[in-house]
Amino acid sequence: MVKENFMWGGSVSSMQTEGAWNEGGKGPSIYDAGLMTSMAKTSSDWKVAIDFYHRYKEDIALFAEMGFKAYRFSISWSRVLPDGEGAVNEEGLAFYEAVVDELLKYEIEPVVCLYHFDLPLALVKKYGGWHHRSVLEAFKKYTEVVVKRFGKRVKYYIPMNEQNAASTIAIQMAHKVVPEAEKVKAGVIAEHHMLLAVAGVKNCTREFAPHAEVGGMVNFTPFYPKTSKPEDVLAAQIANRRVNYQILDVFTTGVYPADMLKDWEEQQALPVFQDTDLAALKSGTIDFIAHSYYQSAIAAEGTPITLENFFGDFVTGKLLKNDYLQESEWGWMIDPVGLRLAVKEMSDRYKLPVFTIECGIGVQEELNDEKTVEDDYRIAYFTAQLEQLSLAVEEDGVDLMGFLTWGPIDLLSSQGEMKKRYGFIYVDRDEKDLKELKRYKKKSFEWFKQVIATNGAVL
Ligand code: BGP
């Protein structure tokens, strides 16, 4: 199905795996302060997660046993710069170096994400959020520290996780701290700063790590029209533009597309951009497109989709249901064809390599008496997704760099749930009871190992 150096592997974030929230000199992030999610009381906090901080060698050995070629993780900004912008915490940086070295020991390519929604708390206290220029400046400093330290060892950087979702969060955070009349404008500026941050990473690698490639990432959710009524088709097109393509346009061309500017103009929030900013965007366009894929969505006339109103319903499973598809336990639509469509769309439009760096299904699971999980449903889920990706490569000519599953080892969900499990490896802990945090292989472990060993020939 795929080229020889295809990057099979898995993908995680720092706060969903590491734990050690206040160890090794780490400063608090907005997760530690409970500012990020409106989590149910039954959910876990972020203090221990799956304790990857102390168990990374054991976990990476398991990934190596599965034959991983790549592993995408995020760096906790406040572990490296505890207050976000001042002194560097050597111990924090050394931890990530050790993770990178451990991966390289097994010839697993580290794919480093610099920002997975976890803004250092100190920056929020001082500046409010991404609408403040100082946060962008702090991110540039942080980027330089990391890129310089990793040097030749890291070839792939993802500046921001799911930039469309990250922008949503930044917009909402800006809204909380500025006066009513300035809200929308602050949200737009926050988005602008985050896009500049991505271009900044590209320019930073150009200077200090010219071998490295930078991928702009979105959560790609293809929108289908509710019916073939032209107004519904138009609504789907607009939703696709707002959620998926506007940001990808900026990543790839360094220019704000006309409809994005019109959206801002309509909200009376069109900023006066500095020429240097616009030049910076143009000078820092990305090398490849990275994306997550979980589900497709439906758009209909009369209920306009915007970045602000979309991702809340996405996570809580409240999107319109599609009669042709089944849904997961969390109400997410299961749509393998949507994945083919997604990579095909990105490839056709932007003529860049595409890297699927998150995909998976969250399921409630328990260990059986044999201390494993017979997760045939996960095998069936991934088989269907990979069959569609094969078609995208073979029939549509998509240049696909790799396929990383989300949460190859069970981890906390975005809402802090341990019961929503994604892994090939079971982690024995509950929402509140940490137990021994032992790792057990599920049935899908051997299955994915064989997929990788045959480079996708045997699914
Ligand atoms: C993406 C995030 C991840 C991850 C994943 C699954 O949006 O990048 O952090 O959590 O979704 O979502 P959830 O954990 O809500 O099931």
Side-chain angles (χ1 to χ4, degrees):
M1 142 186 177
V2 290
K3 48 189 175 191
E4 278 210 342
N5 55 353
F6 192 75
M7 286 188 273
W8 296 100
S11 183
V12 303
S13 77
S14 55
M15 67 281 172
Q16 290 170 278
T17 52
E18 282 176 15
W21 70 291
N22 61 355
E23 285 179 51
K26 178 179 172 293
S29 79
I30 53 177
Y31 278 84
D32 302 312
L35 293 181
M36 259 309 283
T37 51
S38 49
M39 294 183 314
K41 284 208 175 68
T42 49
S43 295
S44 166
D45 57 30
W46 305 93
K47 291 184 172 148
V48 179
I50 59 161
D51 197 31
F52 179 79
Y53 187 81
H54 298 111
R55 297 169 196 245
Y56 69 92
K57 287 192 178 171
E58 181 192 345
D59 291 346
I60 292 172
L62 284 165
F63 301 146
E65 191 184 330
M66 262 189 284
F68 275 23
K69 309 285 183 216
Y71 184 66
R72 177 263 187 147
F73 62 97
S74 76
I75 295 190
S76 155
W77 181 348
S78 61
R79 197 180 282 291
V80 174
L81 294 170
D83 72 355
E85 58 181 349
V88 174
N89 173 33
E90 272 304 320
E91 204 177 336
L93 210 45
F95 166 68
Y96 293 112
E97 277 194 293
V99 169
V100 165
D101 290 343
E102 194 68 15
L103 290 167
L104 292 174
K105 181 172 120 188
Y106 295 105
E107 294 179 15
I108 300 174
E109 200 68 70
V111 178
V112 173
C113 176
L114 291 163
Y115 184 76
H116 200 118
F117 312 150
D118 56 340
L119 199 56
L121 184 62
L123 294 180
V124 175
K125 285 190 173 155
K126 207 161 161 193
Y127 305 119
W130 274 100
H131 57 289
H132 201 294
R133 189 92 191 179
S134 301
V135 173
L136 171 63
E137 296 309 322
F139 182 80
K140 282 189 183 157
K141 173 178 178 184
Y142 156 63
T143 301
E144 200 175 309
V145 168
V146 173
V147 169
K148 274 183 173 165
R149 182 63 69 95
F150 286 160
K152 288 230 164 66
R153 287 176 288 182
V154 171
K155 288 199 204 119
Y156 300 99
Y157 284 99
I158 309 292
M160 300 221 174
N161 180 59
E162 298 184 329
Q163 187 108 1
N164 39 3
S167 288
T168 308
I169 294 164
I171 293 168
Q172 286 163 351
M173 196 173 290
H175 286 189
K176 280 188 200 154
V177 293
V178 297
E180 189 65 29
E182 292 161 33
K183 269 183 169 183
V184 185
K185 252 190 178 142
V188 171
I189 296 294
E191 215 179 332
H192 175 57
H193 286 163
M194 294 183 108
L195 286 160
L196 281 171
V198 175
V201 174
K202 179 60 211 170
N203 285 319
C204 177
T205 58
R206 196 175 278 138
E207 196 172 345
F208 301 111
H211 62 281
E213 291 184 18
V214 174
M217 180 188 181
V218 291
N219 169 318
F220 198 100
T221 304
F223 283 87
Y224 306 142
K226 192 172 177 198
T227 70
S228 53
K229 189 164 73 167
E231 287 79 2
D232 283 348
V233 177
L234 184 67
Q237 207 258 7
I238 293 171
N240 272 312
R241 289 289 312 156
R242 288 190 178 145
V243 172
N244 300 311
Y245 297 125
Q246 289 182 345
I247 285 176
L248 286 169
D249 283 1
V250 184
F251 282 165
T252 52
T253 64
V255 174
Y256 282 112
D259 58 351
M260 199 169 183
L261 297 173
K262 282 280 170 207
D263 281 348
W264 290 341
E265 203 180 306
E266 254 170 48
Q267 300 171 76
Q268 294 171 333
L270 186 64
V272 182
F273 296 117
Q274 297 171 18
D275 287 347
T276 45
D277 276 5
L278 296 178
L281 280 180
K282 266 201 174 165
S283 70
T285 54
I286 56 166
D287 302 306
F288 64 92
I289 296 173
H291 77 102
S292 63
Y293 178 74
Y294 292 96
Q295 58 178 330
S296 54
I298 286 177
E301 182 195 9
T303 43
I305 306 272
T306 63
L307 264 194
E308 269 194 271
N309 69 18
F310 177 64
F311 281 107
D313 289 345
F314 178 105
V315 173
T316 49
K318 292 199 191 102
L319 298 178
L320 284 180
K321 301 295 171 200
N322 185 327
D323 295 341
Y324 298 93
L325 302 174
Q326 296 193 321
E327 54 187 295
S328 78
E329 285 173 54
W330 269 261
W332 294 16
M333 290 293 138
I334 300 172
D335 182 9
V337 175
L339 178 56
R340 175 180 181 182
L341 209 138
V343 295
K344 180 172 159 43
E345 278 286 323
M346 287 183 272
S347 170
D348 289 349
R349 275 172 197 258
Y350 301 110
K351 321 280 180 238
L352 284 174
V354 176
F355 194 175
T356 304
I357 65 170
E358 280 187 36
C359 179
I361 183 164
V363 181
Q364 299 205 50
E365 296 171 318
E366 275 174 28
L367 278 181
N368 63 19
D369 293 343
E370 278 75 48
K371 295 282 180 206
T372 186
V373 180
E374 300 284 328
D375 55 346
D376 294 287
Y377 40 83
R378 181 166 290 105
I379 295 172
Y381 173 89
F382 279 127
T383 301
Q385 309 284 321
L386 289 171
E387 279 168 357
Q388 291 300 320
L389 280 184
S390 282
L391 293 170
V393 171
E394 282 160 16
E395 294 192 5
D396 308 332
V398 173
D399 181 2
L400 193 67
M401 293 168 67
F403 180 75
L404 308 182
T405 71
W406 174 251
I409 181 165
D410 291 345
L411 39 58
L412 292 177
S413 80
S414 64
Q415 309 304 298
E417 304 145 292
M418 194 62 219
K419 62 174 184 279
K420 191 176 188 184
R421 294 175 181 274
Y422 280 91
F424 304 117
I425 301 163
Y426 186 94
V427 176
D428 194 18
R429 65 155 284 188
D430 290 345
E431 307 298 322
K432 305 285 181 191
D433 182 356
L434 295 175
K435 301 189 188 171
E436 289 181 58
L437 284 154
K438 272 188 143 179
R439 278 61 170 149
Y440 298 95
K441 296 172 192 170
K442 301 181 194 173
K443 184 174 178 183
S444 56
F445 184 100
E446 290 301 327
W447 173 81
F448 197 48
K449 183 174 170 180
Q450 158 225 280
V451 171
I452 299 176
T454 60
N455 207 14
V458 180
L459 295 179

